[in-house]
Amino acid sequence: MIEWILLLAGLYLAIGTVFAVAFHAKGIARVDSGAVGAGLFFRLLVTPGIVALWPVLLGKWRRRRSEEDVSGSAETPVSPGGLRSAHRFVVTALALGLPPLVAAGLWLRPAAILSAESGISSVPPLPAELLRLEAPSQEFPVRAVLRGGAGGTRQIELEIDRDLAIPTLALFAAPEDGPGVPPASVFVGSVHGPGILRYDLPKRQRGTLVFYSLAQGRRVASWEYSIAYSTPDEGGS
Amino acid sequence: MSVGYASVQWNPHKKRYDLMLLGVIFAAVGALTAVSLISHPGITAEMLILRATAVSAFLLLHIILAIGPLARLDRRFLPLLYNRRHLGVTMFLLALVHGAFALVQFHALGDRNPLVSALSAYGDDYRLFRDGALNLAHFPFEVFGILALVIFFLMAATSHDFWLRNLGASLWKTLHLMVLVAYGLLVLHVTYGVLQTETSPLYPLFLVIGAAAVLGLHLAAGWKETKRDRRLENMSKEGFEVACRADEVAEGRGKTVRVGGQRLAVFRHEDKLYALSNVCRHQGGPLGEGKIIDGCITCPWHGWQYQPHDGKSPPPFTEVVPTYPLLLDGEDVYVKPQPRELGESSEGIPAPPAAKPVGEEFYVGYLLAPRGIGRFLRRVAVILPLSVAVFVAVVAWAQNRIDSGVYEYGVVNTFEGVLYETPVPMLHMVSSGGASNLLLSGFGKFGPPEVIQGHHGTWVSFDGSLIYRQGLTMIEMNAPESFRAHRAAKPEEARMPLEPVGKVSLTGEIVDTKCFLGVMRPGSGKIHRACAIRCLSGGVPPGLLVRTEGDPAGTVYLLAGSAGKPLEFEVQWAGRSVDVEGELSILGEVPLLEVESLKLSPKG
């Protein structure tokens, strides 16, 4: 159906284009003597209208060939009363029709939040804070808090202010630093922002945290950490 | 008034007028661009163009529609009416760029002709009445914009005086009256489009204030005209009707009177009175509000001229307005409502001298502007662009937060790993650092190309570009000819890292993952709905965008069929809220929802 409508519209405009060529060649001078000798830019300006309204001009051209009256505005003045009535009707219709339609549109606006909760359960209460790590660079605005719990468990909490815009960024925990992802590294989890992310870490007193983009195959940042004391849960030092 | 046509009849005032117009457009586009780039740095160039042209065109339309009634209410605004045609054509060109860009952005490079898509993408939602009710909530807002653009095209294409003459003034004016219909359509386009996505209360407030101002001005001007007609009602005498008092018509000036139910103009020229039609042959301007310049009655709108004694334009021009017999009885001027033969000459009725006109300056576009009017116009030329810049800056600042995400357009890398065709097309990349799972799509609004079919569990390589947002990454396979299937993956390579979480029920919006991850910003909501429909129809993996109080930016869950069955849903549900039940798993770092039930939500 839509294809047919567009095809007919295309056909109409194609006929209009052919007509415009013929009209510029012969018809325009017959229909309107004012166009005789007019410049190329004038002809370009009126061409879209000729293509769109070619039946009107074709009618005028044919009547001119048969010497009928084809007068334009010089003999057919504006009817101010009729126009004023039409204007009053349109403005009144808009003044009455638009407010309820706009009000309905505002009332129909969808809620931004549709779910009370996401499908993934929240993280349990946090163990004690052990160490704060500041952002390694302005390009990587990630802060971290290392936390320790009973039995030497370790957690890391990442605070990320904005979308890092780094594809498949992963966090690894390595016993010692080295190029790329060092040997014996443990995959901690994928990293993205903004927000607060929490992960379990291996039970180590020191090590290196490496942020590595798996899609780009490059190290983005790293932190070396050392926790020289243990938490009260671990008996103190 | 013309003998032969020129493309544009330039004069100094028109040039200054167009400079002011340029100033307004630069102010609007510049303010929107600058403020958006500062306050919403994630915005894409395409979205900036779409928004800048939309805001500029809509604002210009308000100015255009306000000028007419303002000039009726306060004559100082008459000079702004003089070149309103250029305002209209410029507004149409801005709207055309907006429409063309929207067509390319949201409908091109898909599985359907963009024009066909623009008129059919939403399926049954094109029916304004569905199931016995008004389907406004999901009716495609683009339709309102397309209809308005067609009207603007017809108006812009016929804006030259050639059309005024060849269509006839009445038909031409009626056609151009359609601008009010187009305005109504645009109000609906905005209400059911951008206002369904943008959350700032300023947007509806601005829309309501703008519409109230435009319609209020038109109603006020109409009320003033009606009141004036009532005041001009008169008495009759032997076929003549009393029109006014002779001393009400100042030397060189006219007065609008109402005789026989029509408005006529009575002029005094060299202490003789003349009665003519009040309607200028050009665009129906009110001749009675004009002035005699060089012995000719001069229309206040565009300066067309007529001789008082016969109504003819001075040679070589050929326009004529009707003249009417009149007589003087004491101080009362009587006019016969029946005109003389067109072009018939008359002497005019001698009248006692009248006072010189005081105060009011008269503006003619092609002459030097009087001092007071010039000062007023200079103020407008400064205040208008500045006001527009401040207003548009507020509009830009109030935009919703722009979605994050990166589309590495033009950056092509080679990727290799294990191909998964199910549950959703992915590349399982294994490197020295570990494994990751990257979604796959094709070029434009298409899913992965056919070359991947039959290679599930195969070690493959191909070229592509990355698209990523938060923890999700996609490869756009924009060079299918680079695809190579190397070998069957080893069992340890092919192991799918799927960790079940459990059964969940979620409410969210269906999005196409390619746009949402970074190709479009925003890649969700009603204004992106047509594009999402095209992408999903082309095979881009669908996702469910779930926003919660704690996660207002939202998380995307990949959607797949349950137990190996294909996912069943209507692509027209894109951009709408759905209720989904299914088994949630984490595939590597990607949340995957195997759907058991998916239906439109009553919330949306």
Side-chain angles (χ1 to χ4, degrees):
Chain A
M1 173 69 173
I2 292 299
E3 284 88 343
W4 276 106
I5 292 172
L6 286 171
L7 189 69
L8 288 175
L11 196 63
Y12 175 86
L13 294 177
I15 295 170
T17 306
V18 174
F19 174 81
V21 174
F23 189 71
H24 276 305
K26 286 195 171 176
I28 196 166
R30 290 189 183 215
V31 166
D32 190 336
S33 57
V36 176
L40 180 66
F41 190 48
F42 160 77
R43 287 176 177 267
L44 285 175
L45 275 182
V46 298
T47 298
I50 296 173
V51 173
L53 299 171
W54 63 267
V56 177
L57 295 175
L58 179 63
K60 290 198 79 163
W61 191 2
R62 287 182 61 189
R63 286 200 298 280
R64 173 62 84 184
R65 284 168 70 116
S66 60
E67 297 303 318
E68 287 178 33
D69 175 32
V70 288
S71 53
S73 69
E75 291 81 20
T76 54
V78 171
S79 160
L83 272 177
R84 217 174 291 142
S85 299
H87 181 257
R88 195 179 301 130
F89 173 77
V90 175
V91 172
T92 308
L94 287 178
L96 294 175
L98 277 183
L101 287 170
V102 170
L106 297 178
W107 184 70
L108 288 168
R109 291 169 96 183
I113 306 297
L114 291 165
S115 290
E117 292 177 5
S118 73
I120 301 174
S121 61
S122 58
V123 175
L126 302 175
E129 182 178 322
L130 299 178
L131 181 67
R132 280 188 171 267
L133 298 167
E134 290 306 313
S137 68
Q138 283 192 340
E139 289 71 35
F140 193 65
V142 176
R143 296 178 300 280
V145 178
L146 283 174
R147 297 177 183 278
T153 57
R154 296 280 179 267
Q155 278 195 357
I156 183 167
E157 180 179 292
L158 300 178
E159 294 175 35
I160 307 173
D161 293 336
R162 58 175 166 82
D163 184 5
L164 296 173
I166 300 167
T168 54
L169 184 62
L171 173 61
F172 296 90
E176 288 181 3
D177 201 2
V181 179
S185 292
V186 174
F187 175 72
V188 175
S190 68
V191 178
H192 60 81
I196 295 177
L197 305 172
R198 297 187 185 97
Y199 311 90
D200 289 330
L201 286 179
K203 294 177 183 176
R204 292 188 188 124
Q205 293 286 348
R206 61 181 54 80
T208 302
L209 298 169
V210 175
F211 293 89
Y212 191 84
S213 169
L214 297 167
Q216 293 175 336
R218 69 179 178 98
R219 180 191 282 212
V220 177
S222 66
W223 271 313
E224 283 191 54
Y225 70 92
S226 172
I227 304 167
Y229 55 90
S230 53
T231 66
D233 287 341
E234 292 168 315
S237 65
Chain B
M1 67 197 291
S2 60
V3 179
Y5 296 116
S7 48
V8 180
Q9 289 177 323
W10 288 110
N11 60 45
H13 177 63
K14 277 192 184 174
K15 288 178 183 170
R16 283 195 285 270
Y17 195 107
D18 284 1
L19 272 179
M20 185 182 74
L21 170 60
L22 271 179
V24 169
I25 292 170
F26 275 123
V29 173
L32 192 117
T33 306
V35 175
S36 294
L37 289 176
I38 293 167
S39 62
H40 297 73
I43 196 165
T44 59
E46 299 88 349
M47 200 51 68
L48 257 181
I49 292 170
L50 274 172
R51 292 185 176 185
T53 48
V55 171
S56 309
F58 200 40
L59 202 57
L60 265 187
L61 183 60
H62 279 81
I63 295 171
I64 290 165
L65 289 174
I67 288 174
L70 273 176
R72 303 302 298 155
L73 295 168
D74 184 340
R75 287 178 61 89
R76 286 180 305 166
F77 288 96
L78 264 175
L80 297 179
L81 195 73
Y82 177 61
N83 203 24
R84 194 169 49 164
R85 177 178 294 181
H86 288 198
L87 277 182
V89 174
T90 307
M91 185 273 297
F92 162 69
L93 292 175
L94 287 166
L96 183 67
V97 173
H98 175 78
F101 239 85
L103 187 72
V104 171
Q105 271 293 89
F106 300 132
H107 297 278
L109 298 177
D111 62 348
R112 206 177 272 191
N113 177 311
L115 285 172
V116 175
S117 172
L119 296 170
S120 65
Y122 296 93
D124 286 346
D125 279 340
Y126 287 95
R127 288 156 55 190
L128 198 50
F129 291 93
R130 282 185 65 183
D131 309 323
L134 203 58
N135 177 40
L136 272 176
H138 307 296
F139 186 79
F141 69 99
E142 293 93 332
V143 171
F144 299 125
I146 292 169
L147 290 175
L149 193 59
V150 169
I151 293 174
F152 291 146
F153 165 73
L154 288 173
M155 291 176 60
T158 59
S159 65
H160 198 276
D161 278 349
F162 168 83
W163 290 104
L164 184 61
R165 185 177 178 83
N166 286 286
L167 292 179
S170 274
L171 177 59
W172 189 89
K173 291 289 281 187
T174 306
L175 175 67
H176 285 240
L177 190 62
M178 292 285 285
V179 69
L180 285 164
V181 178
Y183 175 70
L185 288 166
L186 280 192
V187 169
L188 297 181
H189 179 67
V190 172
T191 303
Y192 290 92
V194 71
L195 290 196
Q196 301 297 308
T197 305
E198 293 290 335
T199 52
S200 168
L202 288 178
Y203 282 28
L205 185 69
F206 288 159
L207 182 79
V208 169
I209 290 174
V214 165
L215 296 175
L217 280 171
H218 278 263
L219 287 171
W223 179 72
K224 186 183 173 188
E225 295 289 307
T226 308
K227 211 171 83 174
R228 191 177 178 197
D229 277 349
R230 285 201 195 113
R231 203 178 62 234
L232 294 172
E233 288 300 346
N234 40 51
M235 299 160 58
S236 62
K237 178 183 179 180
E238 295 168 8
F240 284 76
E241 294 185 12
V242 69
C244 58
R245 286 162 51 91
D247 60 3
E248 290 175 334
V249 189
E251 177 58 37
R253 288 296 172 95
K255 179 171 177 58
T256 309
V257 298
R258 191 169 169 85
V259 174
Q262 59 186 326
R263 284 185 185 181
L264 302 180
V266 174
F267 268 87
R268 179 191 288 265
H269 178 46
E270 295 172 347
D271 284 328
K272 284 185 178 174
L273 294 173
Y274 301 88
L276 301 93
S277 163
N278 191 51
V279 182
C280 178
R281 292 288 176 171
H282 180 217
Q283 289 190 23
L287 287 181
E289 294 170 29
K291 181 183 179 182
I292 292 184
I293 296 174
D294 299 330
C296 289
I297 293 165
T298 306
C299 178
W301 280 9
H302 301 89
W304 283 40
Q305 291 190 310
Y306 307 92
Q307 296 168 152
H309 62 278
D310 58 7
K312 290 180 178 176
S313 290
F317 305 109
T318 56
E319 286 77 15
V320 193
V321 292
T323 60
Y324 293 81
L326 75 173
L327 58 84
L328 196 63
D329 182 6
E331 274 294 308
D332 293 328
V333 179
Y334 286 77
V335 178
K336 195 172 189 176
Q338 286 77 38
R340 296 192 184 94
E341 283 290 312
L342 203 61
E344 184 185 330
S345 185
S346 75
E347 280 299 307
I349 304 296
K356 293 279 181 194
V358 284
E360 205 168 83
E361 293 178 328
F362 189 79
Y363 171 83
V364 182
Y366 48 78
L367 300 178
L368 196 65
R371 181 180 290 180
I373 292 176
R375 199 165 46 235
F376 175 73
L377 289 178
R378 281 193 292 278
R379 276 191 206 137
V380 171
V382 173
I383 292 170
L384 190 61
L386 283 178
S387 313
V388 165
V390 171
F391 173 76
V392 173
V394 174
V395 169
W397 170 79
Q399 293 171 97
N400 278 359
R401 201 178 72 90
I402 300 290
D403 288 346
S404 54
V406 176
Y407 175 31
E408 291 187 349
Y409 179 76
V411 180
V412 178
N413 290 300
T414 301
F415 300 90
E416 64 176 274
V418 181
L419 182 75
Y420 299 151
E421 282 190 80
T422 56
V424 287
M426 286 181 143
L427 185 71
H428 180 64
M429 288 176 66
V430 185
S431 68
S432 60
S436 60
N437 299 282
L438 281 67
L439 289 165
L440 299 178
S441 73
F443 182 67
K445 295 177 174 64
F446 288 99
E450 287 180 1
V451 290
I452 72 163
Q453 285 177 9
H455 293 293
H456 183 80
T458 305
W459 187 274
V460 301
S461 68
F462 54 82
D463 292 347
S465 300
L466 287 173
I467 306 161
Y468 42 95
R469 175 178 180 170
Q470 300 176 344
L472 279 177
T473 304
M474 173 179 272
I475 305 171
E476 181 191 62
M477 297 178 67
N478 44 27
E481 67 283 358
S482 65
F483 182 84
R484 301 280 181 277
H486 296 281
R487 57 176 172 78
K490 297 170 191 167
E492 65 272 21
E493 292 170 339
R495 192 183 67 81
M496 199 174 285
L498 202 62
E499 291 181 23
V501 173
K503 192 163 185 167
V504 293
S505 298
L506 296 170
T507 299
E509 175 189 337
I510 292 188
V511 295
D512 71 284
T513 46
K514 184 174 181 183
C515 287
F516 182 78
L517 291 186
V519 174
M520 297 277 185
R521 281 165 267 159
S524 61
K526 192 173 180 186
I527 56 170
H528 180 260
R529 188 178 164 206
C531 181
I533 289 172
R534 244 347 7 96
C535 287
L536 295 177
S537 175
V540 171
L544 184 73
L545 172 62
V546 179
R547 292 193 173 101
T548 60
E549 294 290 349
D551 180 20
T555 297
V556 161
Y557 297 76
L558 283 183
L559 296 177
S562 176
K565 292 183 208 158
L567 177 65
E568 288 183 6
F569 73 105
E570 302 283 336
V571 291
Q572 280 83 12
W573 293 355
R576 296 184 59 178
S577 298
V578 290
D579 293 327
V580 185
E581 284 183 14
E583 289 287 338
L584 179 65
S585 309
I586 305 298
L587 178 57
E589 62 278 14
V590 181
L592 173 74
L593 193 56
E594 290 181 272
V595 176
E596 291 164 2
S597 146
L598 190 158
K599 58 181 186 294
L600 282 173
S601 168
K603 292 179 185 175

